[in-house]
Amino acid sequence: MIDLVLYGPSGPQPLGHPATVRVRLRNAGDRDLWIAGVLDGSENGLRLPRYRPTVTRLGDGVVVASPAPAEDPLVAPLRPADLRALAPGESWDPTSGPGCLPLMTFAHFVPRRPGRYRYALTLDTGADTDTDVGADTDTAARPEDWLGGFGVPAGTAREELLALVARVPRTRVVADPVEVDFH
């Protein structure tokens, strides 16, 4: 139901500069798809949705860039505006728009030696799997795992927010990797 696509630059890139790697989510289903973009804590696995980027050097298979460990376990609260509906066939960049953050792993990776590098991205919205990327436990995520660490609404506002979260399909999607040459 969700297509996750990475787009890399065309042609070789100069050493000493990050490559521009972009992300698109597309609703490949036949009804509205509710989803959130990259939120505070999404990249380092502190909250759902988890967007887990990596960069691997081809040839030796060494992972040269991955999300930095969280400096603080508190993340900003989820707001209703952070969730959006994509119509069938509609695409969206989950790193842009209100409340969305860039994927810092991609934005800050600057290779130190020439070669070919593979950029990969996994989106996890709380799938029930033991290989859940970035998960702290082997159980399915709870809707509360979306809410954040502080300033979380209470009462009716909380229930309305949890109802929106319940509309997000629980899945794990892996984008086809993008390879970038640096010279």
Side-chain angles (χ1 to χ4, degrees):
M1 170 181 307
I2 300 173
D3 287 338
L4 181 64
V5 182
L6 291 176
Y7 295 94
S10 61
Q13 300 300 297
L15 276 178
H17 301 281
T20 302
V21 175
R22 296 175 295 116
V23 183
R24 297 297 289 176
L25 271 173
R26 188 175 81 76
N27 179 353
D30 57 3
R31 59 182 175 206
D32 283 355
L33 166 71
W34 282 85
I35 195 71
V38 180
L39 304 174
D40 180 28
S42 288
E43 188 169 353
N44 56 21
L46 288 176
R47 67 115 44 90
L48 293 169
R50 293 182 185 106
Y51 285 86
R52 303 294 288 183
T54 59
V55 181
T56 305
R57 187 173 48 234
L58 295 181
D60 61 11
V62 172
V63 174
V64 293
S66 61
E71 294 177 19
D72 185 342
L74 294 178
V75 295
L78 182 69
R79 301 164 303 157
D82 293 334
L83 294 156
R84 64 174 291 165
L86 293 178
E90 185 179 0
S91 292
W92 172 60
D93 178 352
T95 67
S96 68
C100 296
L101 301 171
L103 289 168
M104 300 310 283
T105 300
F106 292 166
H108 289 173
F109 172 65
V110 177
R112 299 194 188 285
R113 64 187 222 201
R116 190 168 187 84
Y117 294 81
R118 177 176 287 142
Y119 290 71
L121 180 63
T122 299
L123 165 62
D124 178 11
T125 61
D128 184 8
T129 171
D130 334 301
T131 59
D132 209 11
V133 174
D136 296 328
T137 66
D138 290 339
T139 60
R142 301 168 302 128
E144 290 80 7
D145 294 339
W146 286 74
L147 297 182
F150 66 92
V152 176
T156 304
R158 178 185 177 94
E159 295 309 313
E160 289 171 358
L161 191 54
L162 287 172
L164 281 176
V165 168
R167 298 174 102 179
V168 178
R170 299 306 185 254
T171 189
R172 184 171 186 255
V173 182
V174 179
D176 288 337
V178 167
E179 294 181 2
V180 179
D181 286 314
F182 286 91
H183 298 286

